[in-house]
Amino acid sequence: MNEAIEFTVGFSHGVEWGWLIGVYLLLAGISGGAMIVALALRYYKGQKEETPLLKAASLVSFATIALGMIFLVGDLEKPLYFWKILIHYNFSSVMSIGVLALCFYIPLSFLMVAIVFESIITPWLQRSPLAPLVRIYPLLRSLRKPLEAMTFLLALTVCAYTGFLISVLVRFPLLNTAILPALFVASGLSAGTAFSSVVAAFFFKEETHSSDLKTLHAIEWPVMAAEILFLFMLFVSLVLGTQMGKSSAPAFFEGAYAGLLWIGVVGIGFGVPLVLNFALGKKVASSHASFYLSGISSVVGVLSLRLFILYAGQTFAL
């Protein structure tokens, strides 16, 4: 089992990690990004109430990481033996460290849902056979601040870990770079912000021009600029790097997966929000349709980025 979770050498043949891992990387990024942004905004504004954005982000964080684990386990060669990874740790393995972080992050994200939705959950519990569980709420309220701090740090770890997870594959220059974790953190923040904003507006009736969503909208562009910068740095590091790195640089312009970058990432992920917000006038930029389309395009762009990195990274080193 130790060999099964040690990924410091690289794959021996073919594209080993496919779309299932790509979707997992997206969902983990959304989960961590949504939690980071919502808790950071709560601390920044000194909020005490359970805002629509916090409700949306807590649900999104738990739901996406739980769903992401299904995709991750589904990609294993022997999915029914996934539990062995939970009890056999090799702390020189990035995957082992990531699994340990997830083992703490997933229950903490569930507790965040329980805390944020206390006013809804408590009456339901009191009418059910699970009524004794109501007694745990005073403890959760007293521990809320440290729980939020731990959840925030682990959410950041989960965002970065998805980049570290594949950056240790030394045979693949496009993947084996220190830039990848930073790129995945930035893109996770982008997707998490977009997805939780859409959920807050659609399900929790948050006004699209509310103070919270305006604040998120303001940080959306610096985050996008960071994504573009990290992508550029990744390309330059290949062009100016080793001969093997130079042989991988054409992945940005050639091959079947270059379309994922230029159409999915640049066109949809970056282009659509920029056009909607800056090129079509204030009336379009302030419309509800623009808000939802911009959010969805950001998530599609991040998924395209994950898939491009995975597929092009593995293909151009074969």
Side-chain angles (χ1 to χ4, degrees):
M1 192 61 198
N2 283 336
E3 290 83 8
I5 61 177
E6 177 59 65
F7 290 95
T8 57
V9 177
F11 300 135
S12 59
H13 64 280
V15 175
E16 299 280 353
W17 284 357
W19 69 270
L20 286 173
I21 293 297
V23 174
Y24 160 70
L25 294 175
L26 169 71
L27 292 172
I30 289 176
S31 178
M35 187 65 77
I36 290 168
V37 169
L39 290 178
L41 190 64
R42 180 177 177 83
Y43 293 140
Y44 174 71
K45 291 191 170 184
Q47 296 170 337
K48 302 299 181 183
E49 71 279 9
E50 315 299 355
T51 64
L53 178 64
L54 183 60
K55 290 179 180 178
S58 60
L59 276 179
V60 165
S61 295
F62 176 68
T64 52
I65 196 61
L67 183 60
M69 293 307 296
I70 294 175
F71 281 92
L72 181 62
V73 171
D75 188 71
L76 296 176
E77 185 176 344
K78 297 179 179 180
L80 296 180
Y81 290 91
F82 79 94
W83 55 270
K84 290 188 177 181
I85 301 177
L86 304 179
I87 60 175
H88 293 92
Y89 287 99
N90 174 6
F91 288 102
S92 65
S93 165
V94 174
M95 177 168 278
S96 282
I97 295 171
V99 168
L100 186 62
L102 287 169
C103 284
F104 286 99
Y105 175 69
I106 294 173
L108 279 173
S109 64
F110 176 77
L111 285 179
M112 283 302 301
V113 174
I115 291 170
V116 171
F117 288 92
E118 178 183 355
S119 62
I120 296 174
I121 295 174
T122 298
W124 177 82
L125 284 177
Q126 290 172 335
R127 296 191 300 268
S128 75
L130 301 175
L133 290 178
V134 173
R135 299 172 188 167
I136 202 172
Y137 269 104
L139 177 62
L140 290 179
R141 285 194 294 270
S142 67
L143 295 175
R144 177 162 183 167
K145 285 189 176 182
L147 286 175
E148 287 180 345
M150 290 172 60
T151 305
F152 180 90
L153 291 174
L154 283 170
L156 185 59
T157 301
V158 167
C159 269
Y161 150 71
T162 55
F164 282 115
L165 179 64
I166 58 178
S167 70
V168 296
L169 301 175
V170 296
R171 283 188 55 236
F172 306 98
L174 200 155
L175 304 180
N176 184 226
T177 168
I179 299 169
L180 209 58
L183 174 61
F184 274 31
V185 169
S187 59
L189 288 173
S190 178
T193 298
F195 199 74
S196 56
S197 296
V198 167
V199 171
F202 190 82
F203 291 102
F204 297 99
K205 309 306 178 186
E206 176 79 314
E207 175 55 49
T208 56
H209 300 294
S210 69
S211 175
D212 281 358
L213 295 192
K214 279 185 176 181
T215 301
L216 295 188
H217 191 62
I219 68 172
E220 183 179 0
W221 309 117
V223 170
M224 183 183 293
E227 287 184 79
I228 296 171
L229 175 62
F230 291 140
L231 267 173
F232 177 72
M233 290 171 63
L234 177 58
F235 175 71
V236 171
S237 70
L238 293 175
V239 172
L240 300 180
T242 64
Q243 188 59 43
M244 194 172 179
K246 292 177 182 178
S247 69
S248 298
F252 282 75
F253 303 101
E254 302 173 6
Y257 305 115
L260 279 172
L261 175 65
W262 293 102
I263 297 174
V265 181
V266 178
I268 298 175
F270 298 152
V272 170
L274 288 170
V275 169
L276 289 173
N277 285 274
F278 299 108
L280 299 180
K282 291 184 177 180
K283 186 175 181 180
V284 173
S286 60
S287 67
H288 286 277
S290 175
F291 170 80
Y292 287 111
L293 184 57
S294 180
I296 292 170
S297 65
S298 293
V299 175
V300 171
V302 174
L303 175 60
S304 299
L305 174 63
R306 300 301 205 253
L307 293 175
F308 166 73
I309 293 293
L310 273 180
Y311 280 99
Q314 294 175 78
T315 301
F316 270 76
L318 299 180

